[in-house]
Amino acid sequence: MTFDEIDKKLLFFLQEDAKQTTKELSYKLGLSVTAVYERIKKLENAGVISKYVAILDRHKINRNFIILCHVKLSQHKKEYVLQFEREVMNLQEVTECFHVSGDYDYILKIGVKDMEDYRNFMLTKLTTLQHIASTHSSFMISEVKNTTAIVL
């Protein structure tokens, strides 16, 4: 799909604050409310906008201890890969999971309260998953950049 400059600006504004009204957006874009509404619907129907979410402050919900956990599977059989992926989807502490190339098979982004909470997560949840050969954890020292925005 190709985007004109108005689509790009509209997507930028929506990523910045999706609660803006079509009236507010129409003022910023110099379009009618109807034109803005139709553009948003077009972008939603095309799947460019897949959903609207509320981004929570990790500190206020006590999930500010962030870990990147590298996971290596014991074998790369299709059934092992699919089973791991199904099981990791049910771990609420895991906010992101990437199947990657290199020394490890997956990288998990995990948010918990503190080190003790992470240890409990490892012992009672992650290490109970089948077919994990090894893990390697890195802990966030500080957050340099965290955005969900994609600039076109």
Side-chain angles (χ1 to χ4, degrees), residues 76-92:
H76 296 109
K77 290 182 178 180
K78 180 180 178 180
E79 63 192 75
Y80 289 11
V81 167
L82 295 176
Q83 181 178 1
F84 175 80
E85 290 177 0
R86 273 193 310 275
E87 291 175 344
V88 82
M89 293 295 288
N90 296 321
L91 300 175
Q92 68 181 17

Side-chain angles (χ1 to χ4, degrees), residues 69-86 88-89 94-109 131:
C69 181
H70 296 68
V71 176
K72 186 181 291 190
L73 297 182
S74 58
Q75 292 183 33
H76 296 109
K77 290 182 178 180
K78 180 180 178 180
E79 63 192 75
Y80 289 11
V81 167
L82 295 176
Q83 181 178 1
F84 175 80
E85 290 177 0
R86 273 193 310 275
V88 82
M89 293 295 288
V94 176
T95 57
E96 296 179 59
C97 175
F98 302 98
H99 192 179
V100 297
S101 63
D103 292 336
Y104 289 90
D105 300 309
Y106 292 90
I107 298 176
L108 311 179
K109 182 177 177 185
H131 314 302

Side-chain angles (χ1 to χ4, degrees), residues 46-57:
V48 174
I49 299 172
S50 60
K51 64 181 172 178
Y52 297 92
V53 299
I55 298 173
L56 307 181
D57 183 326

Side-chain angles (χ1 to χ4, degrees), residues 18 23-24 35 76 83 98 102 111 116 122 128 130 133 139 149 152:
K23 184 176 180 180
E24 291 170 318
H76 296 109
Q83 181 178 1
F98 302 98
E116 182 179 339
M122 287 293 288
T128 65
Q130 295 182 35
F139 306 99
L152 302 177

Side-chain angles (χ1 to χ4, degrees), residues 8 11 50 91 143:
K8 291 177 183 179
L11 289 168
S50 60
L91 300 175
E143 187 171 83

Side-chain angles (χ1 to χ4, degrees), residues 4-20:
D4 63 18
E5 287 307 309
I6 293 173
D7 286 333
K8 291 177 183 179
K9 287 179 184 175
L10 176 58
L11 289 168
F12 173 79
F13 292 142
L14 287 172
Q15 288 181 97
E16 192 175 61
D17 180 5
K19 287 187 74 174
Q20 295 177 82

Side-chain angles (χ1 to χ4, degrees), residues 112-144:
V112 292
K113 178 182 171 186
D114 54 23
M115 182 63 83
E116 182 179 339
D117 204 19
Y118 182 58
R119 182 178 192 279
N120 185 51
F121 167 78
M122 287 293 288
L123 293 175
T124 64
K125 295 182 180 181
L126 189 62
T127 58
T128 65
L129 301 185
Q130 295 182 35
H131 314 302
I132 293 180
S134 66
T135 64
H136 175 84
S137 299
S138 299
F139 306 99
M140 180 180 75
I141 296 171
S142 70
E143 187 171 83
V144 177

